Amino acid sequence: MVKRPKVAARKIDLIGYERLRIYFLSRRQLSLPDRPFVPNTTYQHILRLYECDMRLRDACFAAVGQFEILLRNAISETLSDAFGSHPYYELGAFKDAVANLSAIQTFGKVYVSSKDQRAKHYKETYSEPALPPIWTMKEFLTFGASSVIYKSLEGSLKTKIATQFGVSSDQVFTHWLDCLVDLRNMCAHHDRLFNRSFQKQPSRLRRAGIPAAPPQKLKAILECLDYLMEQRGAKISIVLKVQRIIAKFPEMRPAEAGY
């Protein structure tokens, strides 16, 4: 039902039909001839689904961003404690020579492309060392780059970083990082969380029973994120925040939001 067709057409123009299409399809009876809408479905109903999804993305993006800062700090502190201000060329910090080269390339690319004033200041002030200290460099790292650096590190360093977040297995921690980077990228690119099955699934941390939610669901990833943040003394309760957002939109079925 569309009470104001011209207003509806304008909304479609602003948002984009392809972006709204998945929400329209969710309220159609696809097994019936002509695929009619579920009775009492309104255009406002579809817009409310879209708005709920948007708020879910915003909340998840902000929460992952808080973890990203803590991860960068942990990598910087662990490397500087063991190898000083410039650990980039310390072969012992990395799995092997190939991982070391990959890390140097990642650090270099992030530094060269950074528009941060601190990067600009270092470039204009110093010629040696070529890269700034790790505690400055960490500020230029993206979440994806931080994940790449973490994976390139020598085993004991990875374990030390993972342990700071309450995860004794660096393999489990790596899986969780992959899931969080994936979620962050979806949110950053305004992709939908609505009716999403997440292909990257977090491994289970058995001693903590995390995640408890079914696999491929948003809630499973957010349970891991809540655990990581709480272990670092930075409780964010993102599972509860998302649940409260869903509750404000009765048009959204919890299962459609991964709950």
Side-chain angles (χ1 to χ4, degrees):
M1 184 192 320
V2 181
K3 293 182 179 179
R4 303 168 66 191
K6 289 185 178 180
V7 174
R10 178 60 176 160
K11 284 284 188 180
I12 290 177
D13 185 49
L14 290 173
I15 298 171
Y17 175 73
E18 283 303 317
R19 186 168 290 276
L20 287 174
R21 184 171 179 269
I22 188 69
Y23 308 98
F24 278 114
L25 285 175
S26 73
R27 295 301 179 262
R28 301 195 77 158
Q29 301 176 82
L30 302 179
S31 62
L32 298 181
D34 298 325
R35 304 189 303 173
F37 282 100
V38 173
N40 301 317
T41 298
T42 66
Y43 183 72
Q44 189 61 32
H45 182 115
I46 303 301
L47 288 180
R48 291 271 293 173
L49 289 177
Y50 177 79
E51 183 183 351
C52 181
D53 202 14
M54 182 172 62
R55 293 194 185 186
L56 295 180
R57 283 197 304 271
D58 290 346
C60 292
F61 185 74
V64 174
Q66 290 176 268
F67 169 73
E68 178 186 345
I69 291 171
L70 295 182
L71 175 65
R72 294 194 321 229
N73 289 344
I75 291 174
S76 170
E77 291 162 7
T78 300
L79 283 173
S80 61
D81 284 348
F83 299 98
S85 62
H86 288 74
Y88 317 114
Y89 304 102
E90 296 286 349
L91 187 58
F94 302 93
K95 288 189 298 186
D96 50 38
V98 173
N100 186 190
L101 178 59
S102 174
I104 292 171
Q105 291 172 335
T106 299
F107 280 123
K109 183 178 180 180
V110 167
Y111 172 58
V112 169
S113 63
S114 177
K115 300 295 191 293
D116 191 289
Q117 285 299 313
R118 289 163 292 188
K120 182 180 179 182
H121 172 75
Y122 192 87
K123 292 169 190 173
E124 293 175 347
T125 308
Y126 304 98
S127 57
E128 291 292 337
L131 298 176
I134 186 65
W135 49 79
T136 300
M137 175 68 81
K138 70 170 183 177
E139 299 298 332
F140 315 143
L141 294 176
T142 63
F143 193 13
S146 298
S147 177
V148 168
I149 296 302
Y150 175 79
K151 293 174 187 177
S152 72
L153 296 178
E154 181 271 329
S156 65
L157 293 175
K158 288 197 291 189
T159 300
K160 186 173 182 178
I161 292 167
T163 301
Q164 293 178 45
F165 292 92
V167 181
S168 55
S169 166
D170 59 77
Q171 185 175 27
V172 170
F173 190 70
T174 297
H175 286 163
W176 289 15
L177 278 185
D178 287 342
C179 293
L180 290 171
V181 169
D182 196 38
L183 175 59
R184 184 264 176 208
N185 289 341
M186 289 178 188
C187 295
H189 293 97
H190 309 288
D191 206 347
R192 64 178 173 86
L193 299 181
F194 176 77
N195 270 345
R196 166 78 65 178
S197 290
F198 291 83
Q199 298 308 306
K200 291 184 179 178
Q201 303 178 52
S203 300
R204 197 159 194 265
L205 186 62
R206 297 189 181 280
R207 64 177 179 79
I210 302 291
Q216 297 187 317
K217 298 297 183 182
L218 175 63
K219 189 177 183 181
I221 299 174
L222 298 185
E223 285 176 342
C224 297
L225 180 55
D226 261 343
Y227 177 83
L228 295 169
M229 295 298 290
E230 190 166 0
Q231 293 299 305
R232 282 301 297 264
K235 187 174 181 179
I236 58 172
S237 301
I238 184 60
V239 170
L240 181 59
K241 286 180 182 177
V242 166
Q243 186 174 321
R244 286 173 175 167
I245 291 171
I246 297 168
K248 291 178 181 178
F249 291 83
E251 299 85 358
M252 176 79 79
R253 302 166 192 146
E256 292 176 322
Y259 267 60

